[in-house]
Amino acid sequence: MSGTASKRPVPVPSNTSRPFWEAAKERRLVIQYDRQAKRWQFYPRAIGLDSGRRDLEWREVSGKGSVYSYTVTHIPTAGFEDKVPYALAIVDLDEGVRMLANVIHVAPDDVRIGMRVKVCWEEIGEDAVYFAFEPDLNS
Amino acid sequence: MIKNHLINRDIAIVAYGETKIERRSGKTVFEFAADVMEQILSRCGLKPADIDGFATNVSHSESANQYATTYMCDALGLTPRFMHVSDHGGGSGLACISRGAMAIQAGMCETVLVLGADAPTTSWNGKNLGYRPEFWDPTGIQGPAGAFGLLMHRYMAQYDLKFEALGKLAVSQREGAVLNENALESLRKPITIDDYLNSRPVSSPMRLLDAVMFADGGNGVLMMSTERARALGFKKIVHPIAYSEIVNFNGHEAQPDITETGFSVVGPEVLDKAGLAARDIRMFHPYDDFLIAMMLQLEQIGFCKHGEGSDFLLGTDVTWRGSLPINTGGGQISAGQVGLASGLTNLVEAVRQIFGEAGARQVADASNALVTGIGVIPYGGTWSVSTAMVLEQGQ
């Protein structure tokens, strides 16, 4: 494949995750909520991890949160060759659930634990919108 | 009520086998397995027909083969009456030994070959599915190194991480690899703490010399009842005397403390099962994919307090000469990680030490050892599988 730029992987929705990606196309962040346990969970599962019941619904969330931890990647994976160095974080959403995502619109070395962030969206392929986070200057 | 099925010392490891670790060997998993089995059979004066139990890991090379373990039996000429395959990742080796022991105790078989073989740098057919294609791969995370970079920054936010302590661990293990003829040849050169500190950043604060390198190879042990080992005249035996495992630790938690691992459960538990305190452990052979993983194990098993791993390492000689020898053969970080057969590399070194066959790196008092396994990176977490086993020299 020399001479061909490698492509960033594009997610293929599963029957479980499809509502998440449908909402992402509209740039809305929806997360699974276990109605029995009254707890959020991410990534999408087929059952409530706490209750052991399939009484799950999708709820739109604020998209606001804070950086729980981060790393700056210096050796890129496929499709990220022109982005190094780039920042990745585990983000604690204010609702009480955790997501792994890129942190963009900020110098990678300026990302800090505890930093307030909000969700943003990147077009990563035809018909594919992926979540990321950016500094939230209003909180 | 969790019980200890090994406490009666009725199970014996009587032999080990291990190949040289290589990169891009061009060899198959079956060749590495054959090397290991031949070493074990030669040492014991046995034939394939004498083995009636077989337990192994899922390899990267054969992971697309739904029948890999049965094919392995066919390739090696084995006709087991008990067969087991573990996909605990780097926890597989100890998981196989624990289940092999149960099969012997239950009377399903008498002689179990526990074998690991993998050749990921020659043939890679592994594919992590689950959450990864949707919620991991598209983020550009640098695999396990990325996950451990996230872990290290979080640890630094909660505790005092001294990089010279990790460097000392890297230097000490490397000293073992220099003395280990089976270690990956390119790693059999001494390093300094400055070499560690100046090594290339991979996924900050993770450096190149924090991390393990994949390689090809194989290793294994032969187990039977202690009674049978005595009847067959084996003079050197090692008893597994306690084992604990936990899978998907904290997996149902939405926002767990990622610096806390399954070793906070299985570490104290396995010592309690063995009737030992951490200070009674003569050698520690922890699973080492990344240096920080060993520091977390030291803290959570109870060699030191949480957050005090750096000072513990700076104040302790962990070479083969030291008061707590750690991974005297170089561990995986300095000997190479033989794919998903990796869980047995440090176990085989512990058995070799207890047999008194470690040559220039022989530990003076190798009468017992604590060996661990780690496997599988969960979403946003540290590691899923933690396994721990205490080994004791047979009298």
Side-chain angles (χ1 to χ4, degrees):
Chain A
M1 295 287 284
S2 63
T4 310
S6 60
K7 284 192 175 149
R8 180 172 171 175
V10 170
V12 177
S14 71
N15 195 50
T16 300
S17 65
R18 190 165 291 113
F20 179 85
W21 298 115
E22 291 296 324
K25 278 187 203 164
E26 301 165 2
R27 289 167 165 70
R28 291 188 304 116
L29 182 62
V30 298
I31 302 283
Q32 272 183 325
Y33 186 76
D34 178 338
R35 299 204 303 180
Q36 304 264 330
K38 299 183 168 44
R39 283 180 58 167
W40 302 88
Q41 61 186 30
F42 191 80
Y43 64 96
R45 309 304 212 285
I47 196 166
L49 300 181
D50 219 55
S51 67
R53 300 292 185 275
R54 302 193 65 182
D55 189 7
L56 298 166
E57 66 182 10
W58 292 94
R59 291 188 181 178
E60 186 164 352
V61 294
S62 66
K64 291 174 180 284
S66 54
V67 172
Y68 175 76
S69 195
Y70 70 98
T71 184
V72 179
T73 309
H74 293 268
I75 300 176
T77 60
F80 283 81
E81 292 82 355
D82 59 349
K83 290 187 161 70
V84 281
Y86 54 93
L88 271 159
I90 299 171
V91 171
D92 276 339
L93 289 187
D94 291 347
E95 286 81 3
V97 74
R98 195 168 274 171
M99 303 180 81
L100 174 71
N102 294 102
V103 186
I104 58 175
H105 305 144
V106 58
D109 287 333
D110 288 342
V111 176
R112 289 288 176 273
I113 288 174
M115 180 184 224
R116 294 292 298 170
V117 290
K118 62 181 180 187
V119 74
C120 58
W121 303 92
E122 289 185 284
E123 282 181 30
I124 64 168
E126 255 179 68
D127 212 26
V129 177
Y130 207 80
F131 57 97
F133 287 87
E134 63 185 358
D136 182 4
L137 304 174
N138 299 318
S139 73
Chain B
M1 171 69 186
I2 289 179
K3 294 182 181 172
N4 180 4
H5 69 297
L6 299 168
I7 195 62
N8 292 327
R9 292 159 175 78
D10 56 347
I11 298 294
I13 293 170
V14 299
Y16 61 87
E18 184 181 64
T19 72
K20 173 88 176 165
I21 299 172
E22 307 172 67
R23 272 181 68 80
R24 298 185 185 89
S25 65
K27 298 174 186 171
T28 68
V29 167
F30 303 105
E31 288 175 284
F32 285 112
D35 270 350
V36 172
M37 191 174 84
E38 182 182 41
Q39 286 180 34
I40 289 173
L41 293 178
S42 299
R43 179 182 178 119
C44 299
L46 297 174
K47 293 194 163 150
D50 297 317
I51 293 171
D52 61 357
F54 182 64
T56 191
N57 61 287
V58 175
S59 68
H60 287 299
S61 297
E62 285 292 313
S63 63
N65 176 1
Q66 301 95 320
Y67 312 111
T69 310
T70 307
Y71 279 30
M72 180 65 85
C73 292
D74 186 41
L76 296 175
L78 298 176
T79 310
R81 308 303 303 275
F82 163 79
M83 184 180 88
H84 170 79
V85 59
S86 285
D87 71 345
H88 295 65
S92 296
L94 298 184
C96 284
I97 292 173
S98 75
R99 283 137 176 90
M102 289 191 283
I104 292 167
Q105 290 168 338
M108 288 188 74
C109 58
E110 292 188 315
T111 305
V112 177
L113 176 65
V114 172
L115 189 143
D118 202 353
T121 66
T122 294
S123 172
W124 178 287
N125 293 302
K127 198 171 182 183
N128 293 127
L129 296 171
Y131 69 84
R132 292 210 180 185
E134 291 178 84
F135 297 106
W136 169 276
D137 299 337
T139 68
I141 188 167
Q142 186 45 261
F148 278 76
L150 292 163
L151 166 63
M152 287 173 79
H153 265 153
R154 187 65 206 178
Y155 183 95
M156 290 165 71
Q158 295 180 209
Y159 304 110
D160 181 22
L161 178 61
K162 293 174 177 160
F163 287 103
E164 58 272 32
L166 294 179
K168 184 183 172 189
L169 190 49
V171 169
S172 300
Q173 288 206 164
R174 185 59 67 91
E175 191 182 320
V178 170
L179 297 172
N180 179 2
E181 288 178 356
N182 284 343
L184 191 61
E185 209 53 43
S186 63
L187 297 179
R188 296 187 66 201
K189 297 186 293 265
I191 54 169
T192 65
I193 289 177
D194 280 342
D195 289 334
Y196 165 76
L197 294 173
N198 295 327
S199 66
R200 176 181 182 190
V202 177
S203 188
S204 75
M206 171 72 56
R207 298 167 165 89
L208 194 63
L209 290 181
D210 277 299
V212 81
M213 196 195 302
F214 264 139
D216 304 348
N219 39 44
V221 293
L222 192 72
M223 306 164 58
M224 57 186 64
S225 68
T226 302
E227 189 182 7
R228 182 171 169 80
R230 293 298 179 212
L232 292 175
F234 287 105
K235 299 283 183 271
K236 294 179 181 177
I237 63 174
V238 170
H239 299 299
I241 64 165
Y243 172 74
S244 285
E245 74 177 35
I246 191 166
V247 175
N248 196 29
F249 174 74
N250 270 346
H252 68 292
E253 295 286 339
Q255 294 176 308
D257 177 353
I258 64 168
T259 69
E260 191 179 320
T261 77
F263 285 101
S264 62
V265 176
V266 301
E269 182 182 279
V270 81
L271 289 173
D272 186 55
K273 282 181 178 177
L276 298 172
R279 65 178 174 279
D280 301 321
I281 296 297
R282 294 290 170 257
M283 299 179 287
F284 185 34
H285 295 272
Y287 191 89
D288 60 321
D289 43 3
F290 298 96
L291 294 171
I292 188 73
M294 288 188 281
M295 184 181 283
L296 292 182
Q297 290 179 73
L298 285 166
E299 294 179 2
Q300 292 168 27
I301 292 168
F303 290 98
C304 60
K305 291 182 180 155
H306 282 223
E308 294 182 2
S310 293
D311 288 339
F312 179 84
L313 282 168
L314 289 173
T316 307
D317 182 348
V318 296
T319 68
W320 62 276
R321 295 177 302 274
S323 55
L324 182 65
I326 292 183
N327 284 337
T328 49
Q332 300 173 172
I333 291 175
S334 270
Q337 177 181 345
V338 288
L340 291 176
S342 53
L344 284 169
T345 299
N346 297 349
L347 179 281
V348 164
E349 172 68 6
V351 172
R352 183 166 33 224
Q353 286 281 1
I354 296 173
F355 279 179
E357 298 175 358
R361 64 182 189 281
Q362 180 64 47
V363 170
D365 178 0
S367 54
N368 71 32
L370 175 61
V371 186
T372 66
I374 285 175
V376 190
I377 310 288
Y379 182 77
T382 304
W383 59 75
S384 176
V385 174
S386 300
T387 61
M389 180 173 277
V390 179
L391 301 178
E392 184 184 85
Q393 193 168 42
Q395 298 301 317

